[in-house]
Amino acid sequence: MKLPIYMDYHATTPLDPRVLEAMLPYFTEKFGNAASRSHAFGWTAEEAVERSREEIARLIGANDERSGQPDGKSIVFTSGATESDNLAIKGVAEFYKEKGNHIVTTKVEHKAVLDTCKRLEKDGYEVTYLDVDRYGMVDPDAVAKAIGPKTLLVSVMLANNEVGTVQPIAEIGKITRAKGVLFHSDAVQGIGKVPFDVNAMHVDLASITAHKMYGPKGVGALFVRRSKPRVRLTAQMDGGGHERGLRSGTLNVPGIVGFAKAAEIMRLEGKAEAERLVRQRETLKKKLTARLPEVHLNGHPEQRLPGNLNLSFAYVEGEAMMMAIKDVAVSSGSACTSASLEPSYVLRAMGVGEEAAHSSIRFGLGRFTTDEEIDFVARLVIEKVEKLREMSPLWEMAREGIDLTQVEWAAH
Amino acid sequence: MAYSDKVIDHYENPRNVGTLDKNDENVGTGLVGAPACGDVMRLQIKVEEGKIVDAKFKTFGCGSAIASSSLATEWLKGKSVEEAEEIKNTAIVEELNLPPVKIHCSVLAEDAIKSAIADYRAKQASRKKAAAE
Ligand SMILES: Cc1ncc(COP(=O)(O)O)c(C=O)c1O
């Protein structure tokens, strides 16, 4: 077993070696510009891009209604999900501005969605940020209630990047379709890992990125529904008119080929991989909670990403914990890990309490996680939590039976 | 974030972790911070004839908070109460090479020292008062 151990698969994933292999020729002998229509170099690149579109469409069930075949034309390539989220939300808001000015989203979205919405608010749009329950779950009824005559778009993520909660996308899709409102989902974290089908779930726009599914960084896609309804967008990047005018810029052909290979692997192996990850995740959780009291799960116990285990270790601060297990790469919702000194807004929206947020650790398991690593991490975490609790005045007070919520803390 | 070697040293080998008897009239206890803010320090001093003969801490907080309080206990031992009062957070920042986002950890350590001294003095004052009555 090699150290350090990577358990931060929500942040990014390593490239699958098969993906790298597929990409390599497109850096060297097949280097053409996919927009070059006049020679074989361009045609080769273009063919590769079109095949890639179909492979990505296939993964998310973006099939043409008549032929039943994957509709590659519904895939717009971008530089990643941040750009896809921006294009979807700003693109819809701008294109349909005569029709309305209201967007519905949730408090636990990624910043790529939240900050895009904030920007639109500055431009005069209205945004409703829906609450979530203590598991981080959005209530479809709340979505229905929030939709009004001026609502253009609902944006709800497939799965949360911090706590792994999987949202009821199919139910929300039913509502938005019935009300004639467009539905965007940031599907980055869940693609290939949990069920996602844009047709079955009535999703009209979906953001994806390659680097969270063992593909390269800097390439992503936006699915844009082409019929029933046909979604229109205002381009946010002007130039040579690539991607049918929706996103100008020379295509990142090696990146796109890698993205498609990653999608193919996910389509073929994702289900088995998810089952293995659920087993490893539950093993890790059981080992930790069997030995350590007062360890709390953040997020939904069942409706969650297979590889996500987000735990709060009461009376131990998250950053100190990460320092103690420095041979394991994880992340924390603790304030100390962010420049802002604010603890995770996702945990706050779930109402788990600031203390729990400061004590949270996200273990992100993935394709290359081994059982041996799970055992090692479990042992290390148990040892370090016990050590840090011995150093924690809160642990000592709690042992003495002092109710920490009744103490008058000198907040600073 | 990369930590300085001194922070790592104090974090991995914290000095003077522990608990003194808070009911001992020669012990001053300072409890500062709040769980909701992500750091709580408890710092205790034991004073004999005006000199700090022992100091202990327990800290809930990040590595820099633990290191700041560990360093504080090291500095307190052997000092007079008056000398201890002169310890400034800036000295802790300098010694541990704390980056700007961690300065609040040193401020908390200074607060903990002041609060422990205040508690000790309050105990002494009430003892004198009791003796006078
Ligand atoms: C849910 C979610 N949306 C969007 C993004 C941004 O993706 P990208 O890094 O491709 O811009 C991420 C990754 O950080 C994410 O987890």
Side-chain angles (χ1 to χ4, degrees), chain A residues 315-317 319-320 323-324 326 336 341 354-355 358-359 387-388 390-394 396-397 400 409-412, chain B residues 3 7-8 11-12 14 17 19 31 33-40 42 58-63 66 102 104 108:
Chain A
Y315 318 118
V316 175
E317 197 276 332
E319 188 187 332
M323 206 168 156
K326 62 179 185 306
C336 283
L341 292 181
E354 307 265 309
E355 290 94 317
H358 285 293
S359 301
K387 177 180 170 222
L388 287 167
E390 281 313 309
M391 283 172 67
S392 168
L394 303 178
E396 186 183 309
M397 290 162 84
E400 285 170 358
W409 298 102
H412 52 287
Chain B
Y3 300 97
V7 169
I8 292 172
Y11 174 76
E12 286 179 350
V17 174
T19 308
L31 182 67
C37 302
D39 32 33
V40 175
R42 191 193 62 197
K58 281 198 179 187
T59 290
F60 162 80
C62 66
I66 290 171
K102 297 296 182 186
H104 73 277
L108 203 61

Side-chain angles (χ1 to χ4, degrees), chain A residues 60 84 184-187 196 198 203-208 221-224:
Chain A
I60 60 173
S84 300
H184 166 249
S185 183
D186 176 336
F196 185 66
V198 292
V203 172
D204 302 314
L205 297 131
S207 302
I208 329 174
L222 180 66
F223 159 75
V224 185

Side-chain angles (χ1 to χ4, degrees), chain A residues 10 80-83 85 110 112 157 159 161 186 188-189 209 211-212:
Chain A
H10 305 295
T82 299
E83 187 188 338
D85 287 340
H110 191 269
M157 71 201 320
N161 44 302
D186 176 336
V188 164
Q189 293 286 346
T209 195
H211 77 100
K212 311 274 188 185

